[in-house]
């Protein structure tokens, strides 16, 4: 295990960012999102969640894929190449690390998404254990341990120090690169810090949420439940829950045309939107209830059916951010589970 | 507030029982104490579960477009929500005869994000205690002044008076709030240089994630199909490229609701990135007041807004350049 004084974190960031991009949670206009570090930027360890998850780094909300230029009868296509430079992401929480696993299932299985795969191959992820979980967190219900967040390198803040341990080859290489700044230490300080976080985790009000009504093979049981009618009513059909979610992976492909030049880009889509998966015949989810149901069935039934894991990771972002406070916790509880009283 | 809540519960149950309405649109208790959701209550027993406390910021008037098409619907409206209701009536989006309006008294709604911004984490319960809020958290109990954590729309509340109702709970109505300071920040922005102002908006609007919550919550945004949802419009609603899309979206939206926006504050309340969208709308309101005389959208249901009405007294388009704006 390696140790660094928290007050020296900027030296660590400067060393890493000397020859590559470093993404981390940064404040802008009062909100914290992943951004590119530049010298002097401050990392605030008390911020638990970014508004948009780390998904935005590996699968950006908006990315150009190709451009087309027409000149007279000539038509030129210029594909935009996937990322080919190494980069590092710092400050990822355990829930977002699991969220990336869910994205991997989708984007790295056949047909592989080359843009996403390139970023995954070139990115080294440093996770940071959650020192102060929020009441909205229920990652532990999905078997996630916020004190052992995983990824290439995992860090935990213990008093004045931040302690790193590498989990992968990439992680070992990165810690070697900044070895001058780090000193060796044993596990005891990290273990103490984790023990005190665990005390809080035991008190999380949503941690004992009962997921037994959900999961593989539950489509028939849940699809036509009458509860959907009432639950969907308050929903505004906005994209907030999908856009802040670390695992929502649907995107749309659009063209943006200015003069002779057209840029083909993709951007996140939301199953809550009325034009989601619009096709020549229209849409197969014409009303709000169907769209609303899709989001939760996808996370809690269809994804488990297909990939053997829930694609909710309990980060609680949608719980905190939905403008009408309708969220996956309310949905899970509404459909039963004997401990969900 | 507990008293009002009790009265509301029994009164709503009574209204369902005596056939005045077949359902009530109100707020329902969430997982915690701050996350009430709008909900419909369609039986007398259900109505006993409705909630009314300082976390009922959501404006329920827009739900009436969808849920008051048939039958008779009762709705709880705070003073600020009644302007939206009137504006919806003006624009023929809802029918007065289908709706029974219960005007509920309000002394300010709380913004849980402001409590969080004070560094208070892990909030598991919030109790009102006179002027204070007692916040229970995973990390111990904290007491804060309610006045310090009001929603932006409540900080600059323009009226405690209901502009439409069938009955009021409590019976005594409030008054307009004359000194509400709601243009203070607009004036600060006006005093900036064009560059500073651009920077301010660039920083704020570039946070936008194009979730459209502001549009979807807005009671003035009631187009059956929004131009930003039309894939053929060339201004797709989803891309968040900060070079064009976001500013375009916000400017178009602000123009479109100009003269119709009642300043209900929903757009800023719902924004997940805390973008102060109300400032755009307030700028328009201020301009309209200056060019066309004091005007408050939604004050009554039969007024013609200055921007959709022609009089020979109207300001000339040159008024802005004559004033020397940059
Ligand atoms: S559940 Fe909430 S955040 Fe999601 S679309 Fe509906 S209103 Fe928006
Ligand atoms: S559904 Fe909500 S709680 Fe679950 S991972 Fe997505 S944002 Fe987080
Ligand atoms: S959900 Fe879990 S991992 Fe995510 S921030 Fe909360 S405690 Fe940490
Ligand atoms: S609610 Fe906020 S983030 Fe969402 S579209 Fe509106 S301004 Fe953008």
């Amino acid at each position: 295990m390696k140790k660094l004084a928290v007050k020296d974190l900027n030296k660590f960031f400067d060393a890493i960012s000397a020859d590559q991009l470093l993404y981390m949670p940064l404040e802008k206009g009062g909100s914290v999102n992943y951004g590119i570090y530049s010298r002097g930027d401050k990392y605030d360890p008390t911020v638990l969640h970014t508004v948009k998850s780390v998904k935005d780094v590996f699968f950006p909300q908006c990315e150009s894929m190709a451009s087309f230029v027409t000149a007279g009868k000539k038509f030129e296509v210029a594909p935009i190449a996937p990322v080919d430079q190494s980069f590092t992401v710092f400050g990822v929480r355990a829930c977002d690390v699991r969220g990336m696993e869910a994205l991997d299932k989708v984007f790295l299985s056949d047909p592989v998404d080359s843009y996403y795969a390139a970023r995954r191959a070139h990115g080294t992820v440093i996770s940071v254990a959650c020192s102060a979980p929020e009441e909205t967190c229920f990652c532990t219900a999905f078997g996630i341990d916020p004190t052992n967040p995983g990824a290439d390198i995992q860090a935990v803040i213990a008093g004045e120090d931040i302690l790193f341990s590498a989990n992968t080859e990439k992680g070992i290489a990165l810690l070697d690169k900044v070895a001058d700044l780090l000193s060796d230490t044993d596990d005891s300080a990290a273990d103490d810090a984790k023990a005190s976080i665990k005390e809080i985790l035991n008190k999380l009000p949503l941690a004992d949420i009962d997921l037994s009504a959900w999961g593989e093979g539950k489509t028939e049981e849940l699809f036509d439940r009458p509860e959907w009618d009432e639950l969907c009513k308050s929903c505004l059909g906005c994209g907030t829950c999908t856009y802040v979610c670390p695992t929502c992976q649907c995107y749309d492909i659009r063209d943006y045309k200015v003069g002779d030049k057209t840029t083909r880009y993709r951007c996140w889509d939301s199953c809550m939107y009325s034009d989601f998966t619009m096709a020549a015949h229209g849409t197969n989810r014409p009303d709000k209830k169907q769209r609303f149901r899709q989001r939760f069935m996808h996370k809690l039934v269809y994804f488990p059916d297909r990939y053997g894991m829930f694609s909710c990771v309990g980060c609680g972002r949608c719980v905190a951010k939905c403008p009408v406070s309708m969220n996956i916790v309310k949905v899970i509880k509404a459909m039963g589970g004997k401990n969900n009283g | 507030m507990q008293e009002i809540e009790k009265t509301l519960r029994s009164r709503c149950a009574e209204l369902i029982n005596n056939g005045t309405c077949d359902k009530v649109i109100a707020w329902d208790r969430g997982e915690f104490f701050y996350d009430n959701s709008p909900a419909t209550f369609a039986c007398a027993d259900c109505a006993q579960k409705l909630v009314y406390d300082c976390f009922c910021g959501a404006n329920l008037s827009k739900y009436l477009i969808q849920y008051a098409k048939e039958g008779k619907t009762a709705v709880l409206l705070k003073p600020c929500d009644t302007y939206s209701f009137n504006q919806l009536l003006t624009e023929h989006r809802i029918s007065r005869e289908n709706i029974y309006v219960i005007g509920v008294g309000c002394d300010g709604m709380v913004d849980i994000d402001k409590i969080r911004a004070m560094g208070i984490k892990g909030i598991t319960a919030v109790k009102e205690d006179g002027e204070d809020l007692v916040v229970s958290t995973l990390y111990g109990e904290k007491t804060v002044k309610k006045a310090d954590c009001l929603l932006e729309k409540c900080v600059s509340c323009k009226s405690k008076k209901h502009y439409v109702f069938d009955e009021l709970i409590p019976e005594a109505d409030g008054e307009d709030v004359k000194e509400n300071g709601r243009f203070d920040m607009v004036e600060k922005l006006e005093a900036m240089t064009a560059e500073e102002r651009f920077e301010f908006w660039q920083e704020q609007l570039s946070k936008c994630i194009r979730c459209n919550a502001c549009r979807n919550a807005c009671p003035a945004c009631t187009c059956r199909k929004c131009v930003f949802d039309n894939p053929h419009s060339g201004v797709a609603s989803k891309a968040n490229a900060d070079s064009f899309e976001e500013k375009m979206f916000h400017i178009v939206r602000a123009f479109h609701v100009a003269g119709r926006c009642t300043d209900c504050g929903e757009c800023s309340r719902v924004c997940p990135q805390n973008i102060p969208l109300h400032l755009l709308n307030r700028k328009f309101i201020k301009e309209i007041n200056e060019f066309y005389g004091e005007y408050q959208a939604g004050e009554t249901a039969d007024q013609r807004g200055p921007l959709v009405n022609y009089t020979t007294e109207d300001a000339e388009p040159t008024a802005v350049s004559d004033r020397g704006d940059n």
Side-chain angles (χ1 to χ4, degrees), chain B residues 308-326:
Chain B
V308 291
N309 206 14
Y310 171 76
T311 75
T312 50
E313 314 293 297
D314 279 354
E316 293 298 329
T318 48
V320 175
S321 53
D322 290 349
R323 200 172 59 177
D325 283 7
N326 43 25

PDB file of all heavy atoms in Angstrom, chain B residues 308-326:
ATOM      1  N   VAL B 308     -48.965  39.554 -27.225  1.00  0.00           N
ATOM      2  CA  VAL B 308     -49.907  39.008 -28.206  1.00  0.00           C
ATOM      3  C   VAL B 308     -51.045  39.995 -28.444  1.00  0.00           C
ATOM      4  O   VAL B 308     -52.080  39.665 -28.975  1.00  0.00           O
ATOM      5  CB  VAL B 308     -50.491  37.637 -27.771  1.00  0.00           C
ATOM      6  CG1 VAL B 308     -49.416  36.572 -27.816  1.00  0.00           C
ATOM      7  CG2 VAL B 308     -51.119  37.710 -26.386  1.00  0.00           C
ATOM      8  N   ASN B 309     -50.822  41.217 -28.016  1.00  0.00           N
ATOM      9  CA  ASN B 309     -51.850  42.229 -28.141  1.00  0.00           C
ATOM     10  C   ASN B 309     -51.234  43.427 -28.848  1.00  0.00           C
ATOM     11  O   ASN B 309     -50.065  43.728 -28.647  1.00  0.00           O
ATOM     12  CB  ASN B 309     -52.303  42.653 -26.737  1.00  0.00           C
ATOM     13  CG  ASN B 309     -53.709  43.178 -26.740  1.00  0.00           C
ATOM     14  OD1 ASN B 309     -54.428  42.982 -27.721  1.00  0.00           O
ATOM     15  ND2 ASN B 309     -54.094  43.831 -25.670  1.00  0.00           N
ATOM     16  N   TYR B 310     -52.012  44.117 -29.684  1.00  0.00           N
ATOM     17  CA  TYR B 310     -51.461  45.302 -30.335  1.00  0.00           C
ATOM     18  C   TYR B 310     -52.188  46.549 -29.861  1.00  0.00           C
ATOM     19  O   TYR B 310     -53.413  46.589 -29.840  1.00  0.00           O
ATOM     20  CB  TYR B 310     -51.596  45.178 -31.856  1.00  0.00           C
ATOM     21  CG  TYR B 310     -51.237  46.464 -32.563  1.00  0.00           C
ATOM     22  CD1 TYR B 310     -49.902  46.833 -32.699  1.00  0.00           C
ATOM     23  CD2 TYR B 310     -52.222  47.318 -33.037  1.00  0.00           C
ATOM     24  CE1 TYR B 310     -49.556  48.029 -33.303  1.00  0.00           C
ATOM     25  CE2 TYR B 310     -51.882  48.520 -33.653  1.00  0.00           C
ATOM     26  CZ  TYR B 310     -50.545  48.872 -33.774  1.00  0.00           C
ATOM     27  OH  TYR B 310     -50.208  50.058 -34.355  1.00  0.00           O
ATOM     28  N   THR B 311     -51.438  47.528 -29.426  1.00  0.00           N
ATOM     29  CA  THR B 311     -52.059  48.831 -29.173  1.00  0.00           C
ATOM     30  C   THR B 311     -51.144  49.878 -29.797  1.00  0.00           C
ATOM     31  O   THR B 311     -49.941  49.628 -30.012  1.00  0.00           O
ATOM     32  CB  THR B 311     -52.203  49.168 -27.665  1.00  0.00           C
ATOM     33  OG1 THR B 311     -50.904  49.521 -27.163  1.00  0.00           O
ATOM     34  CG2 THR B 311     -52.779  48.017 -26.873  1.00  0.00           C
ATOM     35  N   THR B 312     -51.705  51.017 -30.085  1.00  0.00           N
ATOM     36  CA  THR B 312     -50.901  52.075 -30.718  1.00  0.00           C
ATOM     37  C   THR B 312     -49.866  52.629 -29.742  1.00  0.00           C
ATOM     38  O   THR B 312     -48.927  53.302 -30.124  1.00  0.00           O
ATOM     39  CB  THR B 312     -51.796  53.216 -31.222  1.00  0.00           C
ATOM     40  OG1 THR B 312     -52.672  53.593 -30.148  1.00  0.00           O
ATOM     41  CG2 THR B 312     -52.626  52.763 -32.419  1.00  0.00           C
ATOM     42  N   GLU B 313     -50.047  52.322 -28.450  1.00  0.00           N
ATOM     43  CA  GLU B 313     -49.089  52.792 -27.441  1.00  0.00           C
ATOM     44  C   GLU B 313     -47.859  51.899 -27.349  1.00  0.00           C
ATOM     45  O   GLU B 313     -46.932  52.215 -26.614  1.00  0.00           O
ATOM     46  CB  GLU B 313     -49.744  52.803 -26.040  1.00  0.00           C
ATOM     47  CG  GLU B 313     -51.122  53.406 -25.966  1.00  0.00           C
ATOM     48  CD  GLU B 313     -51.079  54.893 -26.255  1.00  0.00           C
ATOM     49  OE1 GLU B 313     -50.435  55.594 -25.458  1.00  0.00           O
ATOM     50  OE2 GLU B 313     -51.646  55.324 -27.284  1.00  0.00           O
ATOM     51  N   ASP B 314     -47.880  50.759 -28.042  1.00  0.00           N
ATOM     52  CA  ASP B 314     -46.792  49.794 -27.888  1.00  0.00           C
ATOM     53  C   ASP B 314     -45.413  50.409 -28.130  1.00  0.00           C
ATOM     54  O   ASP B 314     -45.259  51.299 -28.954  1.00  0.00           O
ATOM     55  CB  ASP B 314     -46.978  48.636 -28.885  1.00  0.00           C
ATOM     56  CG  ASP B 314     -47.988  47.618 -28.375  1.00  0.00           C
ATOM     57  OD1 ASP B 314     -48.439  47.769 -27.221  1.00  0.00           O
ATOM     58  OD2 ASP B 314     -48.319  46.696 -29.141  1.00  0.00           O
ATOM     59  N   ALA B 315     -44.447  49.872 -27.425  1.00  0.00           N
ATOM     60  CA  ALA B 315     -43.072  50.335 -27.610  1.00  0.00           C
ATOM     61  C   ALA B 315     -42.629  50.022 -29.038  1.00  0.00           C
ATOM     62  O   ALA B 315     -42.986  48.984 -29.590  1.00  0.00           O
ATOM     63  CB  ALA B 315     -42.166  49.622 -26.616  1.00  0.00           C
ATOM     64  N   GLU B 316     -41.847  50.913 -29.605  1.00  0.00           N
ATOM     65  CA  GLU B 316     -41.269  50.659 -30.934  1.00  0.00           C
ATOM     66  C   GLU B 316     -40.103  49.686 -30.769  1.00  0.00           C
ATOM     67  O   GLU B 316     -39.439  49.691 -29.734  1.00  0.00           O
ATOM     68  CB  GLU B 316     -40.748  51.972 -31.534  1.00  0.00           C
ATOM     69  CG  GLU B 316     -41.830  52.979 -31.872  1.00  0.00           C
ATOM     70  CD  GLU B 316     -42.808  52.465 -32.926  1.00  0.00           C
ATOM     71  OE1 GLU B 316     -42.401  51.667 -33.787  1.00  0.00           O
ATOM     72  OE2 GLU B 316     -43.996  52.838 -32.857  1.00  0.00           O
ATOM     73  N   PRO B 317     -39.832  48.882 -31.801  1.00  0.00           N
ATOM     74  CA  PRO B 317     -38.690  47.961 -31.699  1.00  0.00           C
ATOM     75  C   PRO B 317     -37.377  48.687 -31.425  1.00  0.00           C
ATOM     76  O   PRO B 317     -36.437  48.120 -30.874  1.00  0.00           O
ATOM     77  CB  PRO B 317     -38.652  47.277 -33.066  1.00  0.00           C
ATOM     78  CG  PRO B 317     -40.007  47.486 -33.657  1.00  0.00           C
ATOM     79  CD  PRO B 317     -40.565  48.741 -33.058  1.00  0.00           C
ATOM     80  N   THR B 318     -37.313  49.939 -31.800  1.00  0.00           N
ATOM     81  CA  THR B 318     -36.063  50.683 -31.593  1.00  0.00           C
ATOM     82  C   THR B 318     -35.848  51.071 -30.125  1.00  0.00           C
ATOM     83  O   THR B 318     -34.798  51.598 -29.769  1.00  0.00           O
ATOM     84  CB  THR B 318     -36.080  51.973 -32.426  1.00  0.00           C
ATOM     85  OG1 THR B 318     -37.338  52.626 -32.210  1.00  0.00           O
ATOM     86  CG2 THR B 318     -35.895  51.692 -33.910  1.00  0.00           C
ATOM     87  N   ALA B 319     -36.862  50.812 -29.299  1.00  0.00           N
ATOM     88  CA  ALA B 319     -36.748  51.235 -27.892  1.00  0.00           C
ATOM     89  C   ALA B 319     -35.486  50.709 -27.238  1.00  0.00           C
ATOM     90  O   ALA B 319     -34.857  51.395 -26.437  1.00  0.00           O
ATOM     91  CB  ALA B 319     -37.983  50.762 -27.113  1.00  0.00           C
ATOM     92  N   VAL B 320     -35.101  49.493 -27.619  1.00  0.00           N
ATOM     93  CA  VAL B 320     -33.932  48.892 -26.989  1.00  0.00           C
ATOM     94  C   VAL B 320     -32.652  49.613 -27.411  1.00  0.00           C
ATOM     95  O   VAL B 320     -31.819  49.987 -26.577  1.00  0.00           O
ATOM     96  CB  VAL B 320     -33.853  47.390 -27.321  1.00  0.00           C
ATOM     97  CG1 VAL B 320     -32.577  46.789 -26.776  1.00  0.00           C
ATOM     98  CG2 VAL B 320     -35.075  46.673 -26.750  1.00  0.00           C
ATOM     99  N   SER B 321     -32.531  49.863 -28.720  1.00  0.00           N
ATOM    100  CA  SER B 321     -31.302  50.532 -29.165  1.00  0.00           C
ATOM    101  C   SER B 321     -31.288  51.988 -28.696  1.00  0.00           C
ATOM    102  O   SER B 321     -30.242  52.519 -28.337  1.00  0.00           O
ATOM    103  CB  SER B 321     -31.140  50.431 -30.682  1.00  0.00           C
ATOM    104  OG  SER B 321     -32.301  50.883 -31.321  1.00  0.00           O
ATOM    105  N   ASP B 322     -32.481  52.617 -28.669  1.00  0.00           N
ATOM    106  CA  ASP B 322     -32.540  53.994 -28.166  1.00  0.00           C
ATOM    107  C   ASP B 322     -32.043  54.075 -26.728  1.00  0.00           C
ATOM    108  O   ASP B 322     -31.424  55.050 -26.315  1.00  0.00           O
ATOM    109  CB  ASP B 322     -33.982  54.520 -28.201  1.00  0.00           C
ATOM    110  CG  ASP B 322     -34.460  54.742 -29.627  1.00  0.00           C
ATOM    111  OD1 ASP B 322     -33.594  54.690 -30.541  1.00  0.00           O
ATOM    112  OD2 ASP B 322     -35.673  54.926 -29.837  1.00  0.00           O
ATOM    113  N   ARG B 323     -32.319  53.013 -25.983  1.00  0.00           N
ATOM    114  CA  ARG B 323     -31.926  53.001 -24.585  1.00  0.00           C
ATOM    115  C   ARG B 323     -30.406  52.850 -24.441  1.00  0.00           C
ATOM    116  O   ARG B 323     -29.838  53.040 -23.381  1.00  0.00           O
ATOM    117  CB  ARG B 323     -32.645  51.816 -23.908  1.00  0.00           C
ATOM    118  CG  ARG B 323     -32.748  51.894 -22.429  1.00  0.00           C
ATOM    119  CD  ARG B 323     -33.635  50.790 -21.904  1.00  0.00           C
ATOM    120  NE  ARG B 323     -33.154  49.460 -22.263  1.00  0.00           N
ATOM    121  CZ  ARG B 323     -33.740  48.336 -21.872  1.00  0.00           C
ATOM    122  NH1 ARG B 323     -34.830  48.369 -21.157  1.00  0.00           N
ATOM    123  NH2 ARG B 323     -33.255  47.158 -22.224  1.00  0.00           N
ATOM    124  N   GLY B 324     -29.773  52.444 -25.564  1.00  0.00           N
ATOM    125  CA  GLY B 324     -28.319  52.336 -25.555  1.00  0.00           C
ATOM    126  C   GLY B 324     -27.796  51.017 -25.032  1.00  0.00           C
ATOM    127  O   GLY B 324     -26.689  50.933 -24.527  1.00  0.00           O
ATOM    128  N   ASP B 325     -28.605  49.944 -25.125  1.00  0.00           N
ATOM    129  CA  ASP B 325     -28.128  48.636 -24.670  1.00  0.00           C
ATOM    130  C   ASP B 325     -27.050  48.107 -25.607  1.00  0.00           C
ATOM    131  O   ASP B 325     -27.089  48.348 -26.796  1.00  0.00           O
ATOM    132  CB  ASP B 325     -29.290  47.620 -24.671  1.00  0.00           C
ATOM    133  CG  ASP B 325     -30.192  47.830 -23.469  1.00  0.00           C
ATOM    134  OD1 ASP B 325     -29.985  48.818 -22.762  1.00  0.00           O
ATOM    135  OD2 ASP B 325     -31.095  47.004 -23.281  1.00  0.00           O
ATOM    136  N   ASN B 326     -26.118  47.356 -25.031  1.00  0.00           N
ATOM    137  CA  ASN B 326     -25.141  46.736 -25.924  1.00  0.00           C
ATOM    138  C   ASN B 326     -25.498  45.298 -26.173  1.00  0.00           C
ATOM    139  O   ASN B 326     -26.368  44.735 -25.545  1.00  0.00           O
ATOM    140  CB  ASN B 326     -23.717  46.838 -25.359  1.00  0.00           C
ATOM    141  CG  ASN B 326     -23.672  46.536 -23.879  1.00  0.00           C
ATOM    142  OD1 ASN B 326     -24.548  45.831 -23.366  1.00  0.00           O
ATOM    143  ND2 ASN B 326     -22.693  47.073 -23.172  1.00  0.00           N
TER     144      ASN B 326
END
